[in-house]
Amino acid sequence: GDIWLSMPLVVCRYIGLLFLHYRLSTHYDVSHISEITQIGALVPIALIAGVAALGVVCFVRGRRMTAFCIGWFAITFLPTSNLVPTVAMMTDRYMHIPSVGFAVLLAMALTYPARRTDKDGRSAVRLLALLPAVVVILLFSTLTILRNADWRDTETRFRRPLPVNPRSDRQT
């Protein structure tokens, strides 16, 4: 029971990590929620319901790509959602495939100003409108390169999560 109640909070933590790549770890300590009336259960459930409703509204209004990206995230997350409980409730590798939906949505949002700019030949304005996308690409590329060092060898792979989750040495 508490695993299923805890998973909405885990989903919200994953979504937060997609926006803020801070204190990443191969394993995370997860607070277990034992009652649906706890704030740690209610708020995440409401947020997830809101995102699901947004996906439906986008689909109905013809914003198929946005709806697809939200659906992609949800469907590809299901195998790791602990509907059938597993050992690890939260680990970065569970988000590799679902994060594709987020990445496409982010790309659509960042290139929107350039796509909406007049197409009358003002290429400088279009290039300027793409600047936020370039900044995010450079930032995420840098973070990826830095994160690769965490996988250098077995010792590093198990030592790096300790500051984020001191119990990670007991998890697989």
Side-chain angles (χ1 to χ4, degrees):
D2 65 325
I3 289 177
W4 291 339
L5 290 173
S6 302
M7 284 311 293
L9 181 59
V10 169
V11 171
C12 289
R13 285 180 66 187
Y14 276 134
I15 292 170
L17 287 174
L18 289 172
F19 284 99
L20 265 178
H21 292 72
Y22 177 71
R23 294 180 53 88
L24 296 176
S25 177
T26 52
H27 297 93
Y28 296 90
D29 209 7
V30 176
S31 301
H32 288 267
I33 310 293
S34 57
E35 295 182 26
I36 197 163
T37 56
Q38 288 179 260
I39 194 81
L42 290 175
V43 171
I45 288 170
L47 288 172
I48 292 168
V51 170
L54 175 65
V56 170
V57 168
C58 288
F59 183 81
V60 169
R61 291 195 175 169
R63 298 201 161 255
R64 299 285 202 285
M65 188 56 140
T66 302
F68 176 81
C69 290
I70 292 169
W72 175 274
F73 182 90
I75 290 168
T76 59
F77 181 73
L78 277 176
T80 59
S81 67
N82 276 297
L83 289 174
V84 176
T86 61
V87 174
M89 285 185 66
M90 184 174 180
T91 179
D92 285 346
R93 70 179 183 270
Y94 290 172
M95 288 308 298
H96 291 168
I97 295 172
S99 69
V100 170
F102 171 79
V104 171
L105 279 176
L106 182 62
M108 288 171 39
L110 290 173
T111 58
Y112 181 80
R115 288 182 282 127
R116 298 299 300 170
T117 307
D118 291 333
K119 297 178 182 174
D120 61 0
R122 294 187 300 174
S123 60
V125 173
R126 288 180 64 88
L127 276 172
L128 188 60
L130 284 173
L131 188 59
V134 171
V135 169
V136 169
I137 288 169
L138 290 173
L139 175 66
F140 280 7
S141 297
T142 302
L143 290 171
T144 298
I145 291 166
L146 293 172
R147 181 81 167 132
N148 286 339
D150 293 351
W151 299 89
R152 180 180 47 236
D153 54 37
T154 303
E155 180 185 340
T156 304
R157 189 221 172 283
F158 285 100
R159 185 174 32 87
R160 292 298 285 221
L162 290 174
V164 176
N165 178 10
R167 295 178 344 135
S168 66
D169 64 337
R170 294 184 283 268
Q171 299 175 356
T172 57

